[in-house]
Amino acid sequence: MQYDDALRRAIEESEKETFELAALEQRCIAEPQNAVAHFALAEVLALRGRFAEAAKAYHAALTCNPNYIEALVGLGLVELQRGEIVSAVEALSKAAALSPQSAEIHFYLGNALDDAGKNEEAIKAFETALDLKPDYEEVHLALGFLYYRIGNQKGVREQYRVLQALQSPLAEQLARLL
């Protein structure tokens, strides 16, 4: 019985999600200039792992509003998932330029630049994120890993010490690199 109830709930939830997705798609068709509708569709598609379709929906939102920061960030993140690193860097660079006080966007940009092999630019993006939010644990970790990959043990130790001072459980991940 419990299995049947769980299965029934899963099917009902799936049907509900399918209906909601169809409604979003219809709204985008009915309102092609509605950036918010395209963005909402892109977000749902990205959550479902449908990254190519999400990228198209983010592009549609950006066609309506080229400075839509959230759509630029979303596009950058799905492009990273798709392995489209150049496109990811472009979208996140524009988002960072439009929202220079966002530590989160600089963190994402740093990750994209890191994936692109642009080490110095990635370090600068991570440092900008830390200037804006010094206790951003994930940035300290990413920077520590980047320093490790480029052979900067001093940098790894520094990020490890910061994470320890923050009493972050992420420090353990860098401890293995020392």
Side-chain angles (χ1 to χ4, degrees):
M1 281 297 206
Q2 289 179 348
Y3 177 76
D4 290 340
D5 290 341
L7 182 59
R8 187 178 316 110
R9 281 194 304 273
I11 291 170
E12 288 171 358
E13 187 63 31
S14 177
E15 289 173 348
K16 179 182 172 189
E17 288 178 6
T18 300
F19 177 76
E20 290 172 352
L21 181 59
L24 280 171
E25 290 171 336
Q26 287 302 313
R27 184 172 175 206
C28 290
I29 292 168
E31 303 173 36
Q33 298 305 314
N34 186 335
V36 174
H38 290 291
F39 175 76
L41 176 60
E43 292 284 284
V44 170
L45 292 167
L47 286 172
R48 291 184 175 185
R50 294 167 61 177
F51 301 123
E53 293 169 273
K56 288 179 185 176
Y58 284 124
H59 278 293
L62 291 165
T63 297
C64 300
N65 179 358
N67 294 326
Y68 196 159
I69 293 169
E70 293 83 357
L72 286 164
V73 171
L75 177 61
L77 296 176
V78 299
E79 293 293 55
L80 279 176
Q81 290 295 321
R82 291 173 7 110
E84 299 292 335
I85 307 304
V86 172
S87 297
V89 169
E90 288 174 5
L92 292 167
S93 293
K94 185 170 181 182
L98 291 169
S99 186
Q101 297 304 309
S102 172
E104 184 177 41
I105 293 173
H106 288 284
F107 170 57
Y108 295 146
L109 176 58
N111 284 323
L113 290 164
D114 187 10
D115 286 355
K118 297 182 177 188
N119 299 332
E120 293 305 315
E121 291 177 55
I123 290 169
K124 288 178 185 173
F126 288 143
E127 288 175 345
T128 299
L130 291 174
D131 288 343
L132 295 166
K133 186 177 176 185
D135 62 346
Y136 202 151
E137 296 174 19
E138 292 83 356
V139 178
H140 287 290
L141 180 65
L143 190 54
F145 279 125
L146 176 53
Y147 282 144
Y148 179 77
R149 285 192 305 281
I150 64 173
N152 181 343
Q153 280 300 113
K154 181 181 176 186
V156 176
R157 282 191 298 278
E158 180 181 317
Q159 297 311 307
Y160 172 71
R161 282 194 292 274
V162 171
L163 287 170
Q164 277 188 313
L166 293 171
Q167 298 180 344
S168 172
L170 298 178
E172 290 179 30
Q173 295 183 41
L174 289 183
R176 291 182 253 148
L177 305 178
L178 300 174

